[in-house]
C-alpha cells in the first residue's frame, strides 16, 4: 500500500456524516487475535463471544455478517481491546473502507447492504 494511502487512514476518516453527538457510535471489544486493525475496517460479531473481529465472509461463527466499522485503529493481536465503532445512522465513503484482501467485490456489496440495513449507508 502506498504511504500516502496509509496516511489517509486516520480516526473516522471514512465518515461523510453521522448522527448528532455519539448516537452513531458504541464502545465494543475487539477480540484478541484480530491483529492490527485500521480505522475504517469492516467488522463482524462472533456470535458466541459477542466480540468483534474483521468481517470474514468465509466464516460461520457470525463474523460473516458485517455489523460495524472500526472508528479508531487498534492492535488486538495478543489481547482484547476496547474501541469505538460506527454502529448506526452514518453515511460513509465506500472506497476508503478497509477489507481483507480475500473479500470479493460481490461480498463487499453484500456487506454494504447489511450495513445499510443498520443505517450505515455507503456513498
Amino acid at each position: 500500500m502506498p504511504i500516502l494511502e496509509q496516511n489517509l487512514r486516520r480516526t473516522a476518516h471514512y465518515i461523510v456524516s453521522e448522527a448528532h453527538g455519539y448516537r452513531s457510535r458504541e464502545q465494543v471489544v475487539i477480540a484478541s487475535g484480530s491483529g492490527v486493525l485500521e480505522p475504517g475496517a469492516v467488522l463482524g460479531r462472533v456470535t458466541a463471544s459477542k466480540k468483534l473481529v474483521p468481517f470474514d465472509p468465509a466464516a460461520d461463527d457470525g463474523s460473516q455478517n458485517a455489523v460495524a466499522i472500526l472508528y479508531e485503529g487498534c492492535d488486538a493481536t495478543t489481547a482484547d481491546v476496547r474501541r469505538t465503532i460506527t454502529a448506526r445512522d452514518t453515511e460513509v465513503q465506500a472506497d476508503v473502507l478497509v477489507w481483507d484482501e480475500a473479500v470479493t467485490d460481490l461480498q463487499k456489496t453484500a456487506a454494504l447492504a447489511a450495513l445499510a440495513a443498520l443505517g450505515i449507508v455507503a456513498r
Side-chain angles (χ1 to χ4, degrees), residues 28-39 41 43-44 46 51-54 70 72-85:
V28 299
V29 174
I30 306 298
S32 174
S34 293
V36 176
L37 302 178
E38 296 181 79
L43 303 172
V46 176
K51 296 176 184 178
L52 275 66
V53 297
L70 188 61
E72 54 190 330
C74 68
D75 183 353
T77 302
T78 60
D80 290 350
V81 178
R82 186 172 254 330
R83 282 294 183 265
T84 301
I85 59 164

Side-chain angles (χ1 to χ4, degrees), residues 26-122:
E26 288 182 10
Q27 286 277 311
V28 299
V29 174
I30 306 298
S32 174
S34 293
V36 176
L37 302 178
E38 296 181 79
V42 178
L43 303 172
R45 179 174 283 117
V46 176
T47 305
S49 68
K50 306 295 185 219
K51 296 176 184 178
L52 275 66
V53 297
F55 167 70
D56 180 1
D60 64 358
D61 61 359
S63 64
Q64 71 273 18
N65 304 309
V67 298
I69 301 172
L70 188 61
Y71 185 83
E72 54 190 330
C74 68
D75 183 353
T77 302
T78 60
D80 290 350
V81 178
R82 186 172 254 330
R83 282 294 183 265
T84 301
I85 59 164
T86 296
R88 70 189 67 78
D89 300 331
T90 305
E91 290 178 288
V92 300
Q93 194 173 352
D95 62 339
V96 298
L97 295 178
V98 179
W99 307 89
D100 184 272
E101 291 179 9
V103 178
T104 68
D105 286 342
L106 186 60
Q107 292 165 331
K108 289 177 186 178
T109 299
L112 291 175
L115 290 173
L118 300 171
I120 302 170
V121 180

